Amino acid sequence: MEIINRRQRMSSVARKIRREQDRTIGLVPTMGALHEGHLSLVREARRMCDIVVVSVFVNPTQFGPSEDFEHYPRDLTKDTAVLTDYNVDYIFAPSAEEIYPKDFSTYVNVEGLSEQLEGASRPNHFRGVATVVSILLNTIRPDFAFFGQKDAQQALIIRRLVRDLAFDTEIVVLPTVREDSGLAISSRNLYLTAAEQQAGSVIHRALAKAKESYKKGERHAGKLAELVRNTVETEPRFRVDYVSVVDAETLERLDKIEDRPILIAVAAYIGKTRLIDNTMLSKAKKDSSVAKA
Ligand code: PAF
């Protein structure tokens, strides 16, 4: 396994793999602090692709001024040790200057999908995500790139970005990985005490209740949202930021649920930590969550 810090070196290594060796490349973009959620993506990349690249970059442009950029967990040594066990070929770990050189001034904005849900609470977040993902895709030109369904809006935005800007990469979205308690695994769970992590399972329970109610025939979006909110708020440590019931493809808000896939997305604070989670409702499909491997 090689750790690459320079964009130019990453590009030329990837070019060689594609052209001279005719092998497929899978990219798993991360901000480090690797956990089971990331590792499920790495496993699938390893299964599907000849060469696996994991990028580790805490992207400054996707954090708001009062968010946790400074405190975001960083431990490249530990991440490298974990990835060695997963037979990863390259870690791309550039500095901020390498990705955003002096006078950087080009940003990517996926309009229409970026302003609601997470975008309403975190202005410019998805502009930062879409920009860095575009840079990573252009640098590496992977055949496949892997993302988690836990960040459902991000996955939708990246699919749209790849389609609109004609990137030659297939986006693979894999199920949310959960703790035994049901809490969706996230790097930010590191901020939580053991008791808070346990309390965090209420979000998944709330989504499961809404799903059950939908299965029993509830089609009023407001009622499902209220059920989720009220259930999360039974845990006094939580403050709900939003619960949204939206069309799973357009993220349009709905009043009455018609016969099409629906996303229920939640964001809630426990102390200063903001957790997100979601579930899909559809007549045909099952929920895309798995328990920790
Ligand atoms: O999901 C993440 O960890 C980040 O948003 C991503 C896709 C690596 C871009 O910085």
Side-chain angles (χ1 to χ4, degrees):
M1 184 169 71
E2 180 183 342
I3 302 179
I4 297 179
N5 304 116
R6 298 282 179 181
R7 210 155 123 172
Q8 224 174 13
R9 163 98 186 131
M10 188 68 252
S11 277
S12 79
V13 165
R15 195 179 314 115
K16 224 177 186 159
I17 294 167
R18 277 192 317 273
R19 288 200 190 149
E20 293 172 20
Q21 305 169 4
D22 194 23
R23 292 200 281 178
T24 56
I25 302 178
L27 169 66
V28 181
T30 80
M31 297 207 298
L34 301 178
H35 51 62
E36 270 302 323
H38 297 118
L39 296 176
S40 74
L41 307 182
V42 173
R43 253 184 245 114
E44 185 63 2
R46 185 69 285 164
R47 198 186 66 77
M48 288 177 63
C49 308
D50 299 323
I51 298 293
V52 176
V53 182
V54 176
S55 63
V56 175
F57 178 63
V58 184
N59 174 34
T61 62
Q62 70 187 73
F63 288 81
S66 57
E67 292 182 356
D68 56 346
F69 175 67
E70 296 300 335
H71 299 112
Y72 198 85
R74 291 165 173 87
D75 192 343
L76 187 58
T77 310
K78 192 167 161 204
D79 290 341
T80 305
V82 170
L83 292 176
T84 307
D85 290 344
Y86 282 78
N87 205 10
V88 163
D89 299 283
Y90 297 95
I91 297 179
F92 180 43
S95 65
E97 297 70 37
E98 193 65 22
I99 294 294
Y100 299 111
K102 198 166 163 290
D103 296 337
F104 183 93
S105 59
T106 307
Y107 291 88
V108 180
N109 198 25
V110 180
E111 291 175 9
L113 292 177
S114 299
E115 300 80 11
Q116 56 283 70
L117 310 184
E118 283 301 280
S121 300
R122 308 182 66 190
N124 284 332
H125 170 66
F126 288 118
R127 184 181 83 140
V129 171
T131 302
V132 78
V133 170
S134 301
I135 295 168
L136 292 170
L137 294 183
N138 267 331
T139 303
I140 300 165
R141 307 206 171 193
D143 297 275
F144 299 93
F146 297 81
F147 296 88
Q149 174 65 18
K150 178 180 158 283
D151 298 302
Q153 186 176 12
Q154 169 172 283
L156 209 60
I157 287 171
I158 289 165
R159 278 194 201 282
R160 178 72 62 83
L161 159 80
V162 162
R163 188 203 71 180
D164 287 356
L165 298 185
F167 283 105
D168 193 10
T169 296
E170 190 174 314
I171 301 303
V172 181
V173 178
L174 294 176
T176 303
V177 181
R178 300 182 178 282
E179 299 287 358
D180 294 339
S181 67
L183 175 67
I185 294 184
S186 155
S187 304
R188 290 191 170 96
N189 293 358
L190 287 173
Y191 300 148
L192 305 177
T193 63
E196 285 172 336
Q197 292 218 12
Q198 202 51 43
S201 64
V202 75
I203 300 181
H204 182 54
R205 278 205 309 282
L207 289 168
K209 261 192 173 177
K211 202 176 182 103
E212 202 45 47
S213 169
Y214 170 82
K215 274 192 197 151
K216 287 185 181 148
E218 181 59 77
R219 292 294 182 268
H220 192 285
K223 288 205 172 134
L224 291 175
E226 196 177 282
L227 179 60
V228 173
R229 180 179 285 274
N230 290 343
T231 308
V232 173
E233 285 177 349
T234 56
E235 177 50 68
R237 281 179 268 209
F238 270 105
R239 180 167 59 81
V240 173
D241 183 9
Y242 66 78
V243 179
S244 293
V245 180
V246 293
D247 181 293
E249 265 149 42
T250 63
L251 300 184
E252 234 176 284
R253 259 181 197 282
L254 301 166
D255 290 328
K256 185 139 181 45
I257 296 175
E258 309 287 346
D259 200 5
R260 54 184 175 175
I262 302 299
L263 178 76
I264 307 186
V266 189
Y269 287 93
I270 182 157
K272 282 191 180 156
T273 304
R274 193 162 175 283
L275 301 178
I276 62 170
D277 202 348
N278 65 77
T279 193
M280 293 277 269
L281 307 180
S282 100
K283 276 197 169 158
K285 272 192 183 167
K286 287 211 168 128
D287 191 9
S288 56
S289 297
V290 292
K292 193 164 67 174

